[in-house]
Amino acid sequence: MRESIFTSEIMKSLREANAWCYKIPDNPTSWTMARTRYTPEKPCDIVASFNGRAILLELKQIRKWQAFGKSQIRGSQFLSLTEASKAGAKCFVLLNIRIKPEGEAKRENRLVVFDWNEWGSFFLENTIKAKDLIKHEYISGRKGRFDLSSLLDRIHGL
């Protein structure tokens, strides 16, 4: 599944929970006069607001159980999420894991939520092993939607 479909699912889920959200467009790659590639960096994938609270979301997707961490988060994303968090925004990395459980015909859709305040400094130096990621708490996706109410309630309660 393409990341654009996952992004659409998150956007629809946020809107259904009465959050405002905006997908920051991907920047086109340009060529400089010296014939080198240049792609402007963006701070995150989605900027949202819920009950007056700013939210930054970085979306990641994998299709099998594998390690996740510092190699999947770009330096510019790490810096943006850290600075926004210090300024009072709530920042999250949403990891979508679309796996096919043993003996099942359909893929299972799991959304693992990492609060940047808790995990940001960990991701700077470390990676979560696949065996630990399997045990991590997740939100189950159904029919292209995620119930983000627990996440938004947690943000609202802060």
Side-chain angles (χ1 to χ4, degrees):
M1 173 164 291
R2 295 188 331 238
E3 188 174 320
S4 62
I5 294 171
F6 170 48
T7 302
S8 295
E9 292 173 353
I10 293 296
M11 297 284 288
K12 289 174 187 173
S13 299
L14 286 167
R15 288 182 180 130
E16 286 175 358
N18 296 319
W20 172 87
C21 53
Y22 175 74
K23 159 77 169 92
I24 299 174
D26 293 331
N27 295 317
T29 300
S30 301
W31 292 91
T32 66
M33 294 296 285
R35 311 255 324 132
T36 57
R37 278 178 69 171
Y38 173 73
T39 304
E41 297 172 338
K42 62 181 191 172
C44 61
D45 290 313
I46 296 174
V47 177
S49 178
F50 180 72
N51 288 339
R53 188 84 181 203
I55 307 165
L56 273 67
L57 303 173
E58 177 57 36
L59 308 181
K60 302 293 182 184
Q61 183 169 287
I62 57 177
R63 291 184 59 104
K64 62 180 182 177
W65 291 114
Q66 64 188 48
F68 176 78
K70 66 180 181 178
S71 63
Q72 285 90 353
I73 300 172
R74 285 184 245 127
S76 62
Q77 294 167 339
F78 182 87
L79 184 62
S80 297
L81 295 172
T82 300
E83 289 177 354
S85 183
K86 286 179 183 175
K90 292 300 296 174
C91 303
F92 298 91
V93 174
L94 303 182
L95 175 62
N96 185 15
I97 307 168
R98 296 189 187 249
I99 54 168
K100 188 172 178 183
E102 283 187 40
E104 297 290 324
K106 289 187 171 184
R107 289 196 172 273
E108 183 180 346
N109 196 3
R110 293 185 179 190
L111 182 67
V112 179
V113 178
F114 296 103
D115 185 328
W116 195 255
N117 283 331
E118 297 171 24
W119 289 90
S121 59
F122 176 87
F123 286 142
L124 179 62
E125 300 291 329
N126 301 292
T127 299
I128 299 173
K129 295 177 181 167
K131 67 179 182 174
D132 296 326
L133 190 58
I134 290 170
K135 299 174 192 171
H136 204 282
E137 186 179 336
Y138 65 91
I139 298 170
S140 184
R142 303 227 188 281
K143 298 182 181 178
R145 301 288 195 285
F146 296 95
D147 181 4
L148 299 179
S149 59
S150 62
L151 172 65
L152 294 172
D153 287 344
R154 190 167 123 196
I155 291 168
H156 181 65
L158 296 175

